[in-house]
Amino acid sequence: MWYVYFLKLSSGDIYVGSTNDLKRRFSLHRAGQVLSTKARLPVELKSYVAVETKEHARELEIYFKSGSGKAIALKRLVRTSKPAE
């Protein structure tokens, strides 16, 4: 199983990554051992998508980093605030 995951960074930005071991990778992010996120700690795991293959995970990661993919992810997969009641 592979995962595409979404982290909220201390800067408020959303980081998108992919891995086959989500617990290990998230631990590395939290410990400041990932170059692309270590300057923006703490990080919060907001959401993830599980897929069967590495290739599919990489395709989704690239898509969610694109303009339209980022908009879909922010609207449907990552809640940065509580929904209005």
Side-chain angles (χ1 to χ4, degrees):
M1 192 64 53
W2 279 79
Y3 304 90
V4 178
Y5 60 94
F6 303 85
L7 301 178
K8 183 176 180 184
L9 308 175
S10 65
S11 64
D13 293 335
I14 299 297
Y15 174 87
V16 182
S18 61
T19 184
N20 65 344
D21 188 342
L22 186 56
K23 287 182 183 181
R24 179 189 59 78
R25 188 66 174 160
F26 183 54
S27 292
L28 291 172
H29 280 288
R30 288 184 21 197
Q33 296 178 355
V34 178
L35 183 62
S36 53
T37 60
K38 75 178 191 175
R40 297 180 282 173
L41 296 177
V43 298
E44 179 183 355
L45 181 64
K46 298 301 285 182
S47 184
Y48 63 89
V49 178
V51 296
E52 194 170 344
T53 66
K54 179 180 180 178
E55 293 75 21
H56 192 187
R58 297 291 186 207
E59 288 172 7
L60 285 174
E61 180 184 357
I62 290 167
Y63 171 70
F64 286 128
K65 288 179 176 179
S66 74
S68 60
K70 188 177 284 188
I72 294 292
L74 290 174
K75 186 173 183 177
R76 301 289 180 205
L77 298 173
V78 180
R79 291 252 166 126
T80 55
S81 62
K82 291 184 180 180
E85 293 186 25

